[in-house]
Amino acid sequence: MTTIEYESLPAVASEETATRAGTVVMKFGGTSVGDVERLKAVARRLVAAREAGNRVVAVLSAMGDTTDELVRLAHEISPRPKARELDMLISVGERISCSLCAMAIHDLGHEAISLTGSQAGIVTDTAHGKAKIVDIRARRIHEALDAERIVLVAGFQGVSTDFDITTLGRGGSDTTAVALAAALGAEACEIYTDVDGVFTADPRIVENARKLHAVSYGEMLEMAASGARVLQLRSVEFARNHDVKLHVRSSFSEAAGTWIREEDERMLEKALISGVTHKSVENVYRVEGVSAAQLFRALAEGGINVDTVVQTGPEIVFSADERAETDAALERLGVEWSTRDDLGQVSVIGAGMRSHPGVAAKMFSTLEELGIEPEIVSTSPIKIGCFVPRDDVERAVQGLHDAFELDRPEAARTHG
Ligand code: ASP
Ligand code: MG
């Protein structure tokens, strides 16, 4: 099951928001700000939103691979860079995008101001590299909006209660955007990215995959946790907890994308399944000689999100994304363990499966017909995930997409 710690909404937000309609938060990912031309295109889009009468807050990611490059540089200079210094370093990428974009907006004859997370009043706890937002002191943003400026906020970062610069974890600009949308009372949070939206399966694997018009928060959480890479998992949890509607769309076109919002009847009517997701590689661990309580305490202390867990007798099998951290935690625990990475996972997800039986039956018979044998199965009320040999993952995705008829027009659902 997918659970994340609840991030509370900053108290300051509720007093300041309700009266200020027409605020939009627009987030642009790394590819969308990948070079100077793209930054200029983002500037034009922001200006258009401003000219349409909106109070515009933009959250930008770092350009292209900047963050990866900075992380690489840190490890080149030191085998174990201190987390505080790493955050000082990798928070810089977003600052570059925002200041450059502000310059481009000025050249279009509009007012804009770029702010670091700290200047924007994003206060976090002290967990470097995976900080949680504890407060948003939005006064400065409001003042700039009142002065008719477009406000550019560096994503992925904040300032801790100890006054250090922190980052929110990889992909964290999504969370910055959602948190700002909640704190500013924005009508929606637009996530501009390099894909057209959320699809019924990865279009690189399934040619006739469809763009979904609407997905529920619960479905999106399961999708993000089981391989859909379009949104950071935490940002979806935040959006659900604070009722922020998300619109995931392409920064390269005007077309509508996918709305992520509260579940409604229409999501349950047509297709039982909203999509098939996959992970090409799963790190599966096998541990013996330790109680589940001890093991999972150690993993939690290491900040590791455990996914699937199976216990049979003295043996515990689980999967986790953070390979290095998990290895280290198990070493510290001093238990007997082994790992295998020859498995991937394929999952079917859909709010409709809560009320309609037969999804598991169809999934297993489809896999059987394909001659694919699931080794581990994990379920939630709206997801069934099968661990299958890595080499079979793509075939399984294609077969399940066909079996659940996700290529039909109805599978795309409707919004609005
Ligand atoms: N630049 C950061 C990263 O690459 C944050 C983000 O893009 O959301 O993880
Ligand atoms: Mg991203």
Side-chain angles (χ1 to χ4, degrees):
M1 204 179 67
T2 309
T3 49
I4 303 174
E5 252 172 74
Y6 183 84
E7 291 181 68
S8 63
L9 182 63
V12 69
S14 45
E15 301 155 25
E16 294 196 26
T17 52
T19 52
R20 291 182 161 98
T23 304
V24 291
V25 174
M26 300 164 74
K27 182 260 172 181
F28 293 84
T31 316
S32 308
V33 297
D35 59 31
V36 166
E37 280 318 310
R38 287 183 177 176
L39 273 168
K40 285 185 183 173
V42 169
R44 286 194 295 274
R45 225 187 239 267
L46 296 175
V47 164
R50 173 75 201 110
E51 284 177 345
N54 296 294
R55 293 158 67 86
V56 179
V57 177
V59 175
L60 305 192
S61 283
M63 294 172 71
D65 297 332
T66 305
T67 312
D68 289 331
E69 279 300 308
L70 293 170
V71 170
R72 195 190 49 74
L73 199 56
H75 287 98
E76 211 171 280
I77 209 150
S78 161
R80 282 176 170 273
K82 279 224 161 60
R84 179 192 181 278
E85 302 307 329
L86 197 56
D87 277 353
M88 278 296 273
L89 178 70
I90 65 178
S91 57
V92 168
E94 274 65 15
R95 194 163 152 175
I96 294 173
S97 310
C98 286
S99 49
L100 290 174
C101 193
M103 295 172 199
I105 293 172
H106 295 155
D107 290 342
L108 294 171
H110 277 257
E111 295 286 335
I113 182 171
S114 63
L115 301 172
T116 64
S118 161
Q119 288 173 315
I122 297 173
V123 182
T124 73
D125 63 17
T126 57
H128 284 289
K130 53 182 171 208
K132 289 206 156 58
I133 297 172
V134 295
D135 198 3
I136 293 186
R137 300 176 185 158
R139 189 180 53 85
R140 186 142 185 211
I141 296 180
H142 281 304
E143 281 172 5
L145 290 173
D146 289 343
E148 312 217 323
R149 288 176 156 166
I150 293 170
V151 180
L152 298 139
V153 179
F156 168 62
Q157 60 188 275
V159 61
S160 78
T161 44
D162 285 348
F163 308 105
D164 281 320
I165 300 299
T166 49
T167 62
L168 310 178
R170 297 307 303 269
S173 297
D174 291 339
T175 297
T176 303
V178 176
L180 282 174
L184 300 171
E187 245 137 68
C189 180
E190 308 228 287
I191 308 274
Y192 289 87
T193 177
D194 54 356
V195 293
D196 293 335
V198 180
F199 282 75
T200 51
D202 186 337
R204 284 168 303 189
I205 296 182
V206 179
E207 221 175 76
N208 52 7
R210 286 193 178 267
K211 180 172 77 187
L212 289 152
H213 296 307
V215 175
S216 74
Y217 293 122
E219 289 175 327
M220 194 62 230
L221 266 179
E222 293 289 1
M223 285 178 156
S226 64
R229 301 226 310 264
V230 61
L231 282 170
Q232 193 203 31
L233 185 57
R234 263 176 69 191
S235 71
V236 183
E237 180 82 331
F238 204 112
R240 178 172 70 175
N241 291 339
H242 302 296
D243 213 2
V244 177
K245 288 190 201 66
L246 303 179
H247 186 192
V248 177
R249 57 192 302 192
S250 167
S251 57
F252 307 125
S253 87
E254 293 294 325
T258 303
W259 283 89
I260 294 143
R261 54 166 168 77
E262 207 103 287
E263 183 176 309
D264 76 19
E265 279 306 310
R266 288 173 300 171
M267 295 180 182
L268 310 174
E269 272 167 14
K270 299 283 193 261
L272 290 180
I273 296 303
S274 57
V276 182
T277 55
H278 72 281
K279 286 188 186 174
S280 306
V281 191
E282 281 281 7
N283 302 309
V284 178
Y285 290 86
R286 225 168 262 276
V287 181
E288 257 186 73
V290 63
S291 76
Q294 266 179 304
L295 171 65
F296 293 116
R297 198 180 314 122
L299 293 172
E301 280 163 8
I304 296 148
N305 272 314
V306 174
D307 192 23
T308 302
V309 180
V310 183
Q311 179 161 22
T312 32
E315 187 187 70
I316 303 172
V317 174
F318 68 92
S319 70
D321 287 335
E322 296 96 342
R323 175 82 195 257
E325 286 87 344
T326 309
D327 288 5
L330 293 173
E331 282 305 320
R332 278 197 299 275
L333 205 55
V335 290
E336 216 179 284
W337 62 278
S338 63
T339 175
R340 55 187 288 197
D341 52 15
D342 58 332
L343 295 177
Q345 189 180 183
V346 54
S347 308
V348 299
I349 289 148
M353 82 172 74
R354 268 198 318 261
S355 42
H356 294 83
V359 173
K362 184 176 269 188
M363 179 165 197
F364 290 119
S365 59
T366 304
L367 292 176
E368 189 176 75
E369 279 159 29
L370 294 167
I372 299 171
E373 208 173 312
E375 295 207 23
I376 304 167
V377 178
S378 86
T379 64
S380 87
I382 61 167
K383 174 197 122 171
I384 304 172
C386 291
F387 287 66
V388 301
R390 271 171 73 167
D391 296 341
D392 291 333
V393 168
E394 295 201 1
R395 249 174 1 103
V397 172
Q398 287 155 351
L400 290 166
H401 195 270
D402 274 354
F404 286 99
E405 302 183 43
L406 293 175
D407 55 327
R408 288 172 36 190
E410 306 90 278
R413 300 172 169 179
T414 53
H415 172 78

